[in-house]
Structures are given as C-alpha cells and as structure tokens.
Amino acid sequence: MSRLLQMTLGVVTAIGGFVDIGNLVTSGITGARFGSSLTWAIVLGTIGMTVFAEMAGRVSAVGGRAVFHAVRERLGVRVALVNMIASLFLNLLTLAAELGGVSLVLQLVTGVNYLIWVPIVALAAWLVIWRLPFSLLENVFGLLGLALIVFVIALFKLPTDWHALWSGAIHPVVPTGEGHPTYFFYAVSLFGACLVPYQVMFFSSGGREQKWTPESILDMRLNAIVGFPLGGILSVAIMAVAIPVLGPRQIDVSNLGEVALPVAQALGVTGLLLALLGFFAATFAAAAEAALSTGYMISQYFGWTWGKMHRPTHAPRFHLVCLAAVIAACAFILTTVDPITVTIVSVVLGAAAVPLTYFPILMVANDRDYMGRHVNKGLSNGLGIAFLLIMLVTSVVTLPLLFITKAGQ
Amino acid sequence: VATALLLAGCVSPAVNGSGYRGKVQNSAKKMVGIIDSAQLAASLDVDRRMISQVTDDVVSKAETDAQSVLASLDSVQPPDDPAIGLRSRADDVLQPAASELANLRIAVRRQDRATMRSTVAELGRTLRKVQQLQDSV
C-alpha cells in the first residue's frame, strides 16, 4: 500500500510540476488568439518531454549519470563548456521569469507592486533550496500545483463548444487576421514551454538525489509517461478555457490576471483563488527547480560535489552557484523588464537550444556499456531521433520568427 | 551593420495613406481587446465573482495599455489631409475609451459597484464606436 501511495504521489507531483510560467502564459495567449488550432504544439512538446525525461531518468537510474555529467562525457570539455554557457543563460532567463511570475501572482492577491515582492520571493526560493528536503520540495509544490485542475473543471462549466474545440485541434488552420509567421512563432513558444531544458536536468539530477537504481525505473517511467502527459492536459485546459471567454472578445492576453478570468467566470471567487494558488505553486516550484538545475549543471560540469543529499557544508560550491543564480535572476527582474516578455523570450530561446541538452541524452541512452539491458530500444530511439529532428528544425526557425514577428506582436 | 540596425530601430518609419489607415485600424483592434478585458473583469467583480485586487490589476493594466496605444498612434505623422481627418476621428473615439478606463479604475479601487456598473455600460457604448472605427477604416 505504501509503495502504491508513493507511486501515486510521484505521478501526481509530476502533473503539478509540469506546468510553469511558460505554459501558463503561452497557453493563455494562444487560446485567446488562435483557439485550439495550436493544441498540436502542446501535444508534440509533451510527448517530446516525456520521451527524453524517460531516457534521462533511465540514464540516471542505470548509468548513475545526471544530464550534464553525460554532456561533458560525450561532447568533450570544450563543446560542453559552450553548451553549459548557453544553458546557464537560458536557466537564468527562466529563473528570472519564474521569480517574476511568483511576484506577479502575489501582486494579484495583495495589490502590492510585484517589484516589491521580487527580492522577498528570491529570498524565499533560496531558503527553500537551502533548508527544505528534496522530497518535500517536490511533493508539496507538486501537490499544490494540482490546484490548476480548476481550469479543467472550468472547461466543463463554461459554454464550451466541444465539437469546435476538437475540430480546431485536429484540423489546425491559421485564424483569419493572423499571419503564418505569428502562428508558427507561438507554436514554437508552446513547444519550447513544454521542453524547457531545466526540467529534464532537474528530473535526472533529482533521480540521483533520490538514489534511483534500476529497480526505480518503473516509478520513474510512471512519473514521466503518466504524470507529464497529464500535466500537458492542464496546459491544454488553460488554452481551452480562454477560447469561449477571451477569444470572442479579441482580448490579447498580456498578464496572469487575464489568464485567470475564464476561471472566475466559470467558478467565481473560489475557483479564482484556487487558480492563483496553482499559479503560485507552479511558478515557485519552477523557480526553485531552475535555480537548483543551475547548481546541478555547473557542479556536474566541473565535477564538484553536488545535490541537496549533501549538507551545504559538504557541497558549498553547489549551494553558492544556486544562490548566485537566484541573485542574478532577481537583479535582472528588478531592472523592471516585463516578466511576461521575459517568459516568452525564454521559452522561445529555450526551443532554439533544446538539441544541446537532448542530443547527449540520446547518445548515452544508446550506449550499451553504460545502460546494459536498459539501453534504448527501437521505439525510444525512433521517437528520440524524430523529436531531435523536430528540435533541430525548431532551433533553426526560432530566431528568424522572433525577429520577423517582433516576438509575436 | 549594428549601427544601421540601431538607427533603423530608433527612427519611426514614414507611412503613406494606406499605411496610416493600417495603423489606425491596428490601434482600434488593440483598443477593442483592452476595453473588453477591463469590461469583463469589472462585470465579474460587479457580480461578485472576482477578487478586487485582480480586477484592479486587470483594469489598471488596461488603462496603461490604452494610454500606450494612444501615444503610439500619436507618434505617427499623418501623411496627407485625409489621414489628418482620420486621426481626428480616431482621437474622438479612442481618447474617451482611455478616460473611461481611468474612471473604471477609480471606481474599482473605491469598490463603488454602482459607478463600476455604469462605467462598464459606458465602455460598452464606446466599444461599439471603436469597433465601427476598426471596420470602417
């Protein structure tokens, strides 16, 4: 019974942990502007995330290697350094977006300007990283993030045209008045929001934190194969509720309050409070995860002792990197740059950089010396290669789309 | 190349009559979304389905966005006489929208539901004018 409970908890926290500020913002914007015609991008991104998270988890459980350990081993020190610098930049941008996101949620609840909240949130995130045990961090915020299920409930309460929703999702067309570049820019942003590199770094390093062994593969697979797709459904629900409420009014979503309006219409104050709780948990957990991932990445590259499994005095450089990342991201958001814009730029640039993180995972997962009988099989390889090709195409078109559409405007 | 790009980014491009009409239409379209957003939040608040801080946030953002739309349109030089006429027509419709959004923000912060209700109704009338402007350009 205890094992079943543990497995359920793992899946449930994976659902809540999948959604972050990138998913919240991009799903809200695209639902209002493009209806359900971009659902395919979330489905594609979620499958890609599931495939590579399962692979990274397997490498972690069997090969005993977290993502950046594999990156350095497979790409060599110099190429991995370039990879690390690019990933560091992205992680900091994502962390800044998440800190801004938490602060925006607190502004929505208290009315106090988000800039006042930014340093407080940064301090809280660092304290959580410093003091909270890994399992507690994962479980508490994952469970609270489940409050986002109100978006699914709201979908049933609103006058949703299910036929149009389904038809729009399976026969995607660019809506009248929107250009193809803008459509594909938002497709890339949704795809990137599902495949953010820090999540897979956190997932695989978390596996080492929790001392996964080959016997843990079933739990890990359940988390990845059941939990992440259910998290993807939350993203689709956030997009879908915007269609009947924000779409007909031509509302161009530009803040988190607008993302929550459909829930308020469907479920009133209680629903709205739950949505805000879900926003808070999802963005706060993601902030802590992005900061930890930065520590994991740099420590794994340099071969330092890392992880929350060690007391801070035994892994001082790891904790120092986490702290420095929080301070840098906090300082960046305090320049008054719009957190929503930072979010969109971070998910789009993330989409451009994903092959850097995912390619080495595919390589190591195919190495029989490391993986033994758990080496990639045909299905994993087929899906892995297909998604890597999609990621390569995405990374080539991302920057031109960013400039042509002026970041989706 | 970098300097050329920087200079190109700093200089507002000259527009012809058709380009100016496009800018007015785009401003009207943006204003429709802005008014709708504030109207929806305020209506939900009047029906007691919102937290006042969230309403305040959405309405205040709408007010700021409306000012930004106006400032952006004002920064474009009308190229000819018909464009000057169009600018005047657009101002007649868009300016009241911005000031009604300010009135709505004041009512929301005072939690004056009667004024909120009447301002939402006023915004509804303004919204139709903005939509007419958008369709007629």
Side-chain angles (χ1 to χ4, degrees):
Chain A
M1 190 62 191
S2 153
R3 176 151 170 73
L4 184 69
L5 192 69
Q6 201 182 344
M7 281 162 69
T8 311
L9 188 64
V11 171
V12 164
T13 52
I15 301 169
F18 182 81
V19 179
D20 70 354
I21 185 80
N23 303 93
L24 294 173
V25 170
T26 54
S27 295
I29 292 174
T30 50
R33 278 180 73 167
F34 301 96
S36 57
S37 67
L38 279 169
T39 309
W40 61 268
I42 297 180
V43 173
L44 206 62
T46 306
I47 297 173
M49 181 64 184
T50 305
V51 167
F52 278 94
E54 190 277 335
M55 240 182 262
R58 198 156 23 93
V59 168
S60 176
V62 179
R65 283 158 175 80
V67 167
F68 240 80
H69 195 150
V71 169
R72 192 188 60 172
E73 244 178 32
R74 288 290 144 163
L75 299 183
V77 176
R78 286 186 185 165
V79 178
L81 181 66
V82 177
N83 191 335
M84 189 190 72
I85 291 168
S87 302
L88 175 64
F89 172 72
L90 263 178
N91 265 16
L92 290 178
L93 211 55
T94 309
L95 176 54
E98 306 293 352
L99 290 177
V102 183
S103 307
L104 285 176
V105 177
L106 291 170
Q107 174 180 303
L108 282 175
V109 176
T110 61
V112 176
N113 190 287
Y114 79 95
L115 288 170
I116 306 287
W117 286 111
V118 171
I120 298 167
V121 169
L123 179 66
W126 175 70
L127 282 174
V128 161
I129 292 167
W130 180 262
R131 299 296 301 174
L132 215 62
F134 186 88
S135 55
L136 211 59
L137 162 70
E138 203 179 20
N139 295 339
V140 169
F141 289 102
L143 286 173
L144 288 176
L146 273 186
L148 291 173
I149 282 179
V150 285
F151 280 90
V152 180
I153 299 167
L155 192 56
F156 287 92
K157 288 275 283 181
L158 288 168
T160 304
D161 182 344
W162 293 97
H163 175 72
L165 190 69
W166 178 248
S167 164
I170 58 167
H171 301 295
V173 284
V174 180
T176 317
E178 296 286 357
H180 279 79
T182 317
Y183 179 82
F184 285 108
F185 172 82
Y186 279 107
V188 166
S189 71
L190 285 168
F191 186 66
C194 294
L195 277 164
V196 272
Y198 86 83
Q199 277 190 341
V200 81
M201 287 177 203
F202 180 77
F203 190 69
S204 78
S205 302
R208 301 310 313 137
E209 294 265 26
Q210 292 173 315
K211 299 183 173 57
W212 283 349
T213 62
E215 284 71 48
S216 318
I217 285 182
L218 178 64
D219 291 12
M220 179 279 293
R221 278 200 173 131
L222 270 174
N223 289 359
I225 297 172
V226 181
F228 286 164
L230 289 176
I233 289 176
L234 286 185
S235 290
V236 173
I238 294 167
M239 174 195 271
V241 293
I243 299 169
V245 179
L246 309 180
R249 293 181 169 89
Q250 298 182 43
I251 295 174
D252 197 2
V253 173
S254 60
N255 63 51
L256 282 179
E258 287 172 335
V259 178
L261 284 178
V263 175
Q265 177 157 327
L267 303 166
V269 171
T270 312
L272 182 60
L273 283 171
L274 283 170
L276 295 176
L277 175 67
F279 287 175
F280 175 81
T283 49
F284 192 88
E289 289 172 12
L292 276 170
S293 295
T294 309
Y296 290 144
M297 180 179 68
I298 292 181
S299 303
Q300 286 161 15
Y301 176 81
F302 286 109
W304 300 337
T305 305
W306 58 268
K308 285 176 62 60
M309 58 196 156
H310 299 289
R311 292 170 62 84
T313 47
H314 294 149
R317 286 176 290 196
F318 164 74
H319 279 279
L320 195 64
V321 171
C322 293
L323 174 61
V326 171
I327 291 171
C330 172
F332 180 56
I333 283 294
L334 284 176
T335 60
T336 73
V337 58
D338 178 26
I340 301 293
T341 307
V342 175
T343 302
I344 292 172
V345 172
S346 74
V347 293
V348 170
L349 291 183
V354 281
L356 293 173
T357 309
Y358 291 82
F359 177 61
I361 297 173
L362 185 64
M363 283 177 78
V364 178
N366 269 296
D367 191 326
R368 196 169 288 278
D369 290 342
Y370 285 162
M371 302 299 293
R373 67 188 178 87
H374 296 288
V375 73
N376 261 8
K377 305 285 186 299
L379 180 66
S380 293
N381 267 339
L383 285 171
I385 291 167
F387 273 100
L388 208 60
L389 288 174
I390 296 170
M391 288 173 197
L392 281 172
V393 172
T394 307
S395 67
V396 170
V397 301
T398 298
L399 287 180
L401 284 175
L402 182 70
F403 291 116
I404 291 169
T405 66
K406 294 178 188 165
Q409 289 172 31
Chain B
V1 173
T3 312
L5 282 172
L6 190 68
L7 287 173
C10 294
V11 177
S12 184
V15 292
N16 57 18
S18 158
Y20 192 80
R21 280 197 299 280
K23 285 193 184 293
V24 170
Q25 192 174 38
N26 196 31
S27 301
K29 187 183 170 195
K30 279 185 184 167
M31 193 63 93
V32 167
I34 290 166
I35 295 172
D36 259 331
S37 170
Q39 218 186 7
L40 174 62
S43 304
L44 289 170
D45 198 311
V46 168
D47 295 342
R48 298 184 188 279
R49 300 181 77 79
M50 279 285 269
I51 305 164
S52 57
Q53 282 89 344
V54 178
T55 315
D56 183 3
D57 195 84
V58 174
V59 172
S60 300
K61 184 78 172 41
E63 185 192 354
T64 312
D65 289 347
Q67 300 289 358
S68 167
V69 166
L70 285 174
S72 178
L73 186 61
D74 281 348
S75 71
V76 183
Q77 177 70 25
D80 48 28
D81 286 345
I84 290 172
L86 182 60
R87 177 179 181 273
S88 167
R89 257 180 70 205
D91 265 354
D92 289 347
V93 178
L94 300 180
Q95 289 281 8
S99 56
E100 280 160 21
L101 285 168
N103 293 341
L104 185 61
R105 187 249 310 154
I106 293 165
V108 167
R109 287 194 184 166
R110 296 180 64 216
Q111 275 299 291
D112 179 353
R113 287 206 155 79
T115 310
M116 277 163 70
R117 195 173 285 118
S118 61
T119 314
V120 165
E122 268 175 52
L123 272 171
R125 288 187 284 276
T126 307
L127 180 66
R128 280 190 287 280
K129 289 180 192 165
V130 179
Q131 281 167 333
Q132 280 166 6
L133 175 71
Q134 186 189 346
D135 296 339
S136 67
V137 176

